[in-house]
Amino acid sequence: MAVSGVVLTAPTPVVSVKPVVLEAPGRGEDLRVRVSAPAAGDDLPIVVLSHGFGSSLNGYGPLADFWAAHGFVVIQPTHLDSRTVGLPQDDPRTPRLWRFRVEDMKRVLDGLDLLEAAVPGLGGRLDRTRIAAAGHSFGGQTAGNLLGLRVLDPVSKKEEDLSDARIKAGVLLATAGRGGADLTPFAAEHFPFMNPSFENMTTPALVVAGDQDDSPLSVRGPEWLADPYFLSPGDKSLLTLFGAEHSLGGIAGYEVQETTDENPERVALIQRVTWAYLRHALGIEDAGWAAARKALSDGTDPLGRIESK
């Protein structure tokens, strides 16, 4: 039986190339990227996937592998906060890590020709009119910036529109809510870039939040992670996962230590619902998303609930 009513397309073998290196003047490190693509199919939509703090292009296999096996080209940059980069805490780039992340995502979009050419057999198979941004945790804020989320920069003390018209939809997983008084003193001191505003985040998005994700960064509890849905305008949906903590059942990687709530069924639900949403939001087909909404709209499913506005 299909999880959440979503009927999948047949999976295809995946071709994955890493690292593809994009020159990044002014960043201090070239940008290392992983590209995963289905071995068959044309007019392939694209998802640029931003990892959480400390992860890398090697993370998020449960999402990247699934999306690629079912028709998406998945591009994963390694941001400067990755443990694989090893940036010292006192590095002068540290206060702007959030901004370098957004620039990484835009550099990926600017470098699609090179990335396409790096994968054997991928040439001419991308649909560049259908591009989505996705991210988990810190990566959710990064993806959100491309959708219109704005950050009060701790250096310039200004908000800037960093949205990108090439991005047509987003998936924000376990993404931080409002800053200011909603942050713990520790978060306010150590993560001053966690001051997002959602009023201009107009691009369609699916927000995914766990109802047990009691973040140590906020004084508000799990509902804080739903702010990107409730505080943003336009076409948005919220998938609330019952019993889920910050790793949402294990999306950050296969058997990773930071998964505190391992749940294969929950991960399978996220895989299918996000896939169906992306196909809907990018104008590919609506049946899967309609089935997911129908199955999860009343809150009686033990895994989660979907609401939309």
Side-chain angles (χ1 to χ4, degrees), residues 33-54:
V33 180
R34 178 176 183 165
V35 184
S36 302
D42 294 307
D43 300 321
L44 302 173
I46 300 164
V47 181
V48 187
L49 175 57
S50 179
H51 63 72
F53 187 87

Side-chain angles (χ1 to χ4, degrees), residues 240-254:
T240 301
L241 297 164
F242 303 149
E245 298 176 14
H246 197 59
S247 290
L248 304 177
I251 64 167
Y254 303 109

Side-chain angles (χ1 to χ4, degrees), residues 6 206 237 273 276-277 280 285-294 306 308:
V6 176
L206 171 65
S237 293
V273 170
Y277 175 80
H280 155 75
E285 61 88 20
D286 293 323
W289 178 239
R293 291 183 64 185
K294 181 179 180 181
I306 291 175
S308 300

Side-chain angles (χ1 to χ4, degrees), residues 34 49 51 55-64 76 251-254 256:
R34 178 176 183 165
L49 175 57
H51 63 72
S55 187
S56 71
L57 55 76
N58 295 308
Y60 297 91
L63 293 180
Q76 297 172 263
I251 64 167
Y254 303 109
V256 295

